[in-house]
DNA sequence: CAGTATCCATTCGGATACTG
DNA sequence: CAGTATCCGAATGGATACTG
């Protein structure tokens, strides 16, 4: 995610909408860091088992391709959430850890997970009963 | 997003991966509810001004097309986050409000926003200094 | 083992035109 | 005013083959 705030005058054939004001809202931005399909899963997995190896992560994700896993890990590394250390051995070994910054995400993910749990329970038990518009 | 938990035997020409286990992780699911490009923005906007009208929301989003706005609002409604009331007037008027369930999202969004703020400050001031892998 | 490179399918976001 | 219908390009996700 390069800085794209100063290229309003880019010469692309079609406006790419990258510079529209709404793209600067925090909520839009944070989803670029943690919004990848596997990223929150990866962060959680690395938090659980730290350091984590590439192969272990792949098994835990169960379904992700090598290419996707590499892409997502590289983006997390670029954004300062995880760090990567490759050992020059044979066979090669690569370990991933959360950075201090990355560790602060655990709480955020926990809040999201808790909300989802509540959401599911509400679907079953109607903690928040359905109410008409006028009652809200 | 219809209920797709019971269609493992769907007859699509190619497996759609909708039923893979990882799709049942909470973190993957919650992003389906709040992960749309405009959804968190919409929730925040409706929370600020409640009820909110379609036209007002469109102005605030500044850049979203009518079609997208409608889609996102419909999905939020379907997922129980907002409710919609259309007044049979001319010209027509439609108002949106957060449901009680939707209001519980405000805190979640706040946590995400706070984290992003911290993330930006860290990029500028290095609250969390860069450290080597061995130090983590 | 832990990747890259390449290609393909699907999904998402958006532009435009039309409507009650 | 607040939509719906249709079409399209971009972005995302994934399968497969190859590599140090």
């Amino acid at each position: 995610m390069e800085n794209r705030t100063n290229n309003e005058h880019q010469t692309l054939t079609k406006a790419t909408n990258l510079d529209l004001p709404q793209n600067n809202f925090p909520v839009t931005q944070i989803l670029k860091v943690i919004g990848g399909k596997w990223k929150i899963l990866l962060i959680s997995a690395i938090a659980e088992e730290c350091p984590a190896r590439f192969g272990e992560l792949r098994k835990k994700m169960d379904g992700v391709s090598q290419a996707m896993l590499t892409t997502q890990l590289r983006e997390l590394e670029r954004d300062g959430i995880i760090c990567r250390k490759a050992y020059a051995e044979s066979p090669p070994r690569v370990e991933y850890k959360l950075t201090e910054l990355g560790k602060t995400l655990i709480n955020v993910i926990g809040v999201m997970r808790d909300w989802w749990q509540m959401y599911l329970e509400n679907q079953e038990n109607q903690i928040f009963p359905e109410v008409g518009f006028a009652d809200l």
Side-chain angles (χ1 to χ4, degrees), chain A:
Chain A
M1 191 182 354
E2 295 81 18
N3 187 339
R4 277 164 161 152
T5 52
N6 287 324
N7 56 347
E8 285 94 347
H9 304 298
Q10 55 189 327
T11 56
L12 297 178
T13 54
K14 192 159 190 172
T16 55
N17 294 332
L18 285 172
D19 306 309
L20 291 176
Q22 66 274 19
N23 286 332
N24 293 324
F25 283 111
V27 287
T28 305
Q29 301 275 22
I30 192 176
L31 285 179
K32 296 196 191 240
V33 175
I34 63 171
K37 182 163 179 186
W38 303 94
K39 287 187 182 174
I40 303 188
L41 252 38
L42 282 172
I43 294 163
S44 302
I46 298 174
E48 264 181 39
E49 184 162 1
C50 192
R53 295 187 55 181
F54 187 90
E56 291 168 355
L57 290 173
R58 194 176 177 199
K59 271 177 224 153
K60 281 193 189 175
M61 300 300 107
D62 184 31
V64 68
S65 68
Q66 279 180 321
M68 268 308 294
L69 189 51
T70 300
T71 304
Q72 304 275 304
L73 286 168
R74 285 288 188 282
E75 288 180 9
L76 287 173
E77 188 189 7
R78 181 202 59 196
D79 294 335
I81 309 303
I82 64 175
C83 61
R84 172 184 186 273
K85 181 163 191 177
Y87 296 87
E89 305 170 354
S90 183
R93 180 163 56 101
V94 179
E95 288 182 350
Y96 294 94
K97 285 185 180 177
L98 292 184
T99 61
E100 291 303 313
L101 177 60
K103 289 178 188 172
T104 64
L105 263 178
I106 296 177
N107 178 52
V108 179
I109 293 175
V111 170
M112 294 173 71
R113 189 175 354 232
D114 290 347
W115 184 85
W116 181 253
Q117 205 53 48
M118 185 276 290
Y119 181 75
L120 289 184
E121 284 169 17
N122 185 55
Q123 285 187 327
E124 289 168 19
N125 309 327
Q126 293 296 327
I127 303 162
F128 298 118
E130 294 289 330
V131 288
F133 190 85
D135 303 326
L136 293 178

